[in-house]
């Protein structure tokens, strides 16, 4: 799998920011077919940091109703990436 296809987007929420500040962890939405080794390589290549560990989880899609019809949102995969102490990924850096 190509590096650009593995990482879809960073998850920036209040909980994700707290994880970054306390434990030096960053959360990404990743491709459902990506494994931990591909995620580690993609983060190290794109952001130039060293990864200690990767934890993944598949989030099931929610059921949604619109009138009498019922649909389902797609499942998606989330990865929590722990960085080496001293390495930081700043998504809001301006140059």
């Amino acid at each position: 799998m190509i590096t650009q296809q593995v990482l879809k987007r960073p998850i920036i929420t209040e909980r994700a920011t707290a994880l970054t500040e306390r434990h030096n962890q960053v959360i990404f939405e990743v491709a459902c077919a990506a494994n931990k080794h591909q995620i580690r390589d993609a983060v190290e290549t794109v952001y130039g940091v060293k990864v200690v560990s990767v934890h993944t989880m598949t989030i099931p899609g929610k059921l949604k109703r619109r009138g009498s019809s019922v649909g389902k949102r797609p499942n998606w995969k989330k990865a929590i990436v722990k960085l080496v102490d001293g390495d930081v990924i700043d998504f809001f850096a301006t140059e």
Side-chain angles (χ1 to χ4, degrees):
M1 188 172 277
I2 301 172
T3 302
Q4 291 83 4
Q5 294 175 341
V6 173
L7 300 176
K8 291 186 177 179
R9 67 183 179 99
I11 307 283
I12 301 176
T13 60
E14 192 171 336
R15 179 175 180 262
T17 305
L19 275 177
T20 302
E21 292 171 355
R22 291 188 192 136
H23 304 293
N24 205 21
Q25 295 177 337
V26 185
I27 302 177
F28 290 97
E29 179 180 345
V30 296
C32 288
N35 60 34
K36 291 182 180 185
H37 298 292
Q38 292 170 335
I39 295 167
R40 174 191 304 264
D41 293 340
V43 171
E44 288 179 350
T45 302
V46 172
Y47 295 104
V49 295
K50 189 71 176 160
V51 174
V52 174
S53 65
V54 177
H55 298 283
T56 60
M57 57 198 79
T58 301
I59 310 299
K62 297 178 180 179
L63 289 176
K64 293 294 180 179
R65 293 183 59 116
R66 175 169 248 153
S68 61
S69 62
V70 178
K72 181 181 175 295
R73 289 191 176 165
N75 298 339
W76 59 285
K77 193 171 193 176
K78 174 167 60 172
I80 301 175
V81 179
K82 182 167 178 60
L83 305 176
V84 172
D85 289 338
D87 284 351
V88 176
I89 298 176
D90 189 10
F91 298 112
F92 300 109
T94 57
E95 296 179 24

